[in-house]
């Protein structure tokens, strides 16, 4: 798609440039899956047990606030499964630390934000939320 | 179609609460073929709490015509549920008869003909009469304003909302929440908020940098010995649906967990009744009510729905009070030991020819209009057709706007935002400058002219359609579909994003839109800073002055399926 800055400005604004990166489907998931596999070493990952806070729709795809906590986790990895580089961050928690973290991430379009926690016993848990990156401008 | 019996099971009858709504009264009025102010105000008072709700006034100080939608589709679990019921189905669901005052107020059918019988609706001087009458009977009543109050008219535009602030102050609300208020700009909002005698609530408005609350989240009132917490929720998608550069540094969002924490917080303070004064939109509130325990009443807003009965979601009562000053809701509750034991409810229709204006508020309104009267009343053109906006797809007002954009800006295709505000005009009505501003008055009106590929146009329409038809309400922004001139399309609302729109056709040639080809597109209300072009009202004025009288034929260019 040939989207000039002027065209983007006309309708929607800065969010357009991130929205229009098309869904990359299998390729992007593979990137995400590979990042998860590298973190878990291929171990089975169970669903739930992680409190992941994300907006439903990003106000600005370039800086999306997220927060994550997982009681009993020693580390938590954040994946944005359709970013060119799916691995966003990995937080490691010392024995005295509360396993929670908050940060801002950049999202290349609508996609799942996935949190994978490594628990003290070596097991893994994950939770995923869809975050939409939209053109906006027509509400109300 | 959902039957009335199913509906009642889904709503009031499913509740353990005993109560009554104003529908019966309306039916009686219809039989008598006569309306009086006393009948409109007649109410089966009960209990120890009275809430008065008005919302989405959109700066309509004076009575207006406002045609309710013909198409208001629900998707996913909201399919066929109120408020996604219109016309004959609506009348059937609520036991109403066509041609009656309630049918005129709440549905679209034969609007032009019935409107002449029953007259314009709304007018804040009439609302004042209703509110004062309720307060005379129930001095402890709370008046709650759901927001979208300070924007939507010529005088609001010229005074940056001051006309509305002054008139609302005369009505003495106990709290308000917000949406379009922020399009006045953050400095102006804060300047006004400083002057208000009541809280400007926004539990979901946070400072972007430190993630701290920017406004008070709630206020606890002690009325008649009942502790009432009113939590305010602003429109969650302000920085997405409206220009975020006008209120930099603020973050919104649904923030469901935040709401659950606040409900717990106010409950821990010993409140007997938790009221959410919301600008979420009805379907968002329906989901919120099912996911967050402990909210007794949600006074809904944003999506401009008017429902003559509360909708129950679990133990939470959802109230929908319409828009543009057409209705005021009175809700009496009997609250004992922190529980609602009974209720009485009425969606009071503000028939402007029946309700006597409050003299003080009427003169306040006229004083605000006086300096602008010549401009307001200047006749710019005339319409042979009913002009309306409300509905999921193109309305005749926006068809007129799109025609003006295509003609005046020499464009192939025009886009006009799917706002839900904007009063109607009847066939034969003059179009005054005030009427044009009632459909366009806002702070980012510039009419852009741009080159877009067919692919980009498709992407934009898909994006907007998903804001409306995503089956998860938390992804819905509560506007209607962007209105399109010069181009037809088919839409299957049941499909996911990217595959709803097909058969995009350039109307002037009948050719399919080519994804790779570039088209000239004119539109208005871009959310981006620095958008260039004349304000949309100048475009419309210029067009109307050339045309004189306009006729808008029914729009056949949008084909809807998947319902």
């Amino acid at each position: 798609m040939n989207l000039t800055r002027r065209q983007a400005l006309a309708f929607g604004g800065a969010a357009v440039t991130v929205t229009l990166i098309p869904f990359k489907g299998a390729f992007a998931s593979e990137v995400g899956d590979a990042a998860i596999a590298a973190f878990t070493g291929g171990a089975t990952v169970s669903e739930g047990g992680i409190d992941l806070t994300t907006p439903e729709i990003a106000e600005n795809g370039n800086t999306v606030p997220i927060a994550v906590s997982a009681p009993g986790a020693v580390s938590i990895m954040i994946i944005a499964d359709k970013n060119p580089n799916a691995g966003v961050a990995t937080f490691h928690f010392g024995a005295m630390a509360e396993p929670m973290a908050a940060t801002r991430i950049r999202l290349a379009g609508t996609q799942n934000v996935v949190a994978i926690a490594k628990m003290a016993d070596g097991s893994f848990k994950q939770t995923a939320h869809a975050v939409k990156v939209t053109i906006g401008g027509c509400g109300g | 179609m959902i039957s009335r019996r199913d509906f009642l099971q889904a709503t009031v009858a499913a509740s353990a609460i005993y109560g009554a709504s104003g529908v019966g009264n309306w039916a009686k009025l219809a039989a008598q073929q006569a309306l009086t102010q006393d009948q409109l105000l007649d109410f089966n008072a009960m209990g120890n709490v009275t809430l008065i709700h008005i919302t989405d006034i959109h700066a309509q100080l004076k009575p207006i015509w406002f045609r309710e939608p013909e198409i208001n589709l629900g998707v996913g679990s909201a399919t066929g549920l109120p408020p996604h019921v219109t016309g004959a189905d609506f009348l059937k669901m609520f036991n109403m008869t066509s041609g009656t005052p309630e049918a005129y107020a709440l549905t679209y059918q034969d609007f032009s003909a019935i409107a002449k019988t029953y007259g314009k609706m709304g007018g804040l001087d009439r609302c004042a009469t209703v509110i004062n009458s309720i307060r005379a009977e129930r001095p402890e009543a709370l008046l709650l304003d759901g927001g979208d109050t300070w924007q939507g008219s010529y005088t609001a535009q010229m005074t940056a909302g001051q006309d509305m602030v002054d008139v609302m102050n005369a009505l003495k609300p106990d709290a308000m929440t917000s949406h379009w208020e922020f399009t006045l700009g953050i400095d102006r909002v804060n300047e006004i908020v400083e002057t208000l005698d009541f809280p400007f609530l926004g539990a979901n408005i946070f400072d972007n940098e430190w993630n701290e609350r920017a406004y008070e989240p709630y206020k606890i009132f002690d009325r008649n010995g009942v502790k009432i917490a009113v939590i305010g929720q602003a429109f969650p998608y302000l920085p997405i649906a409206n220009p975020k550069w006008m209120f930099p540094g603020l973050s919104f969002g649904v923030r469901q967990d935040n709401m659950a924490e606040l409900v717990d917080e106010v409950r821990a303070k010993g409140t007997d009744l938790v009221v959410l004064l919301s600008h979420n939109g009805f379907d968002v509130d329906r989901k919120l009510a099912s996911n967050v325990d402990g909210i007794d009443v949600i006074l809904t807003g944003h999506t401009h729905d008017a429902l003559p009965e509360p909708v129950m979601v679990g133990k939470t009562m959802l109230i929908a009070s319409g828009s543009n000053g057409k209705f005021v809701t009175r809700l009496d509750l009997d609250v004992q030991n922190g529980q609602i034991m009974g209720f009485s409810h009425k969606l009071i229709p503000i028939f402007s020819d029946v309700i006597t204006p409050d003299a003080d508020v009427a003169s306040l309104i006229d004083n605000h209009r006086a300096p602008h009267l010549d401009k307001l009343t200047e006749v710019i053109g005339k319409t042979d057709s009913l002009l309306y906006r409300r509905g999921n797809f193109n309305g005749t007002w926006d068809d007129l706007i799109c025609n003006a954009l295509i003609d005046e800006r020499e464009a192939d295709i025009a886009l006009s935002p799917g706002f839900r505000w904007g009063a109607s005009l009847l066939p034969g009505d003059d179009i005054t400058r005030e009427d044009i501003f009632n459909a366009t008055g806002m702070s980012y009106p510039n009419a852009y002219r741009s080159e877009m590929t067919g692919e980009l146009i498709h992407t934009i329409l898909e994006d907007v359609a998903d804001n409306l038809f995503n089956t998860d309400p938390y992804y819905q922004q509560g506007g209607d579909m962007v209105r399109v001139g010069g181009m037809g399309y088919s839409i299957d609302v049941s499909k996911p994003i990217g595959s709803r729109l097909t058969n995009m056709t350039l109307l002037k040639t009948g050719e399919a839109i080519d994804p790779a080809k570039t088209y000239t597109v004119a539109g208005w209300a871009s959310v981006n800073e620095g958008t260039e072009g004349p304000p949309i009202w100048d475009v419309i004025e210029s067009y109307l002055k050339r045309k004189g009288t306009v006729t808008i034929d029914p729009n056949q260019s949008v084909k809807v399926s998947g319902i």
Side-chain angles (χ1 to χ4, degrees), chain B residues 244-266:
Chain B
K244 62 182 162 206
W245 58 270
M246 291 181 167
F247 39 94
L250 291 184
S251 174
F252 296 74
V254 177
R255 296 178 186 251
Q256 178 179 291
D257 295 344
N258 168 64
M259 185 57 62
E261 284 165 22
L262 285 173
V263 172
D264 289 346
E265 185 177 320
V266 298

Side-chain angles (χ1 to χ4, degrees), chain B residues 320-334:
Chain B
S321 305
S323 68
N324 289 271
K326 269 183 84 172
F327 302 96
V328 171
T329 291
R330 172 175 174 180
L331 178 64
D332 280 15
L333 299 165
D334 184 26

Side-chain angles (χ1 to χ4, degrees), chain A residues 1-3 6-7 9-14 19-20 23 51 53 56-60 104 130-140, chain B residues 180 208-209 237 239-241 244 251-253 302 419-421 448-451 455-456 459-460 463 466-467 474-475 477 479 526-528:
Chain A
M1 175 170 305
N2 291 316
L3 174 68
R6 187 165 153 267
Q7 288 167 336
L9 288 177
F11 189 81
T19 309
L20 296 181
F23 296 101
D51 191 4
T53 306
E56 284 81 13
I57 307 179
E59 294 177 352
N60 177 355
R104 286 159 200 258
V131 178
K132 194 173 156 185
V133 181
T134 172
I135 296 172
C138 288
Chain B
W180 276 88
N208 226 336
E209 200 161 346
Y237 296 118
I240 298 155
K244 62 182 162 206
S251 174
F252 296 74
H302 183 53
F419 297 137
R420 295 191 175 201
W421 47 271
Y448 61 83
R449 184 174 186 278
S450 177
E451 305 291 314
E455 187 179 3
L456 177 60
T459 302
I460 289 169
D463 192 273
D466 197 60
N467 294 336
Y474 282 5
Y475 294 87
Q477 292 174 26
S526 164
V527 296
N528 209 76

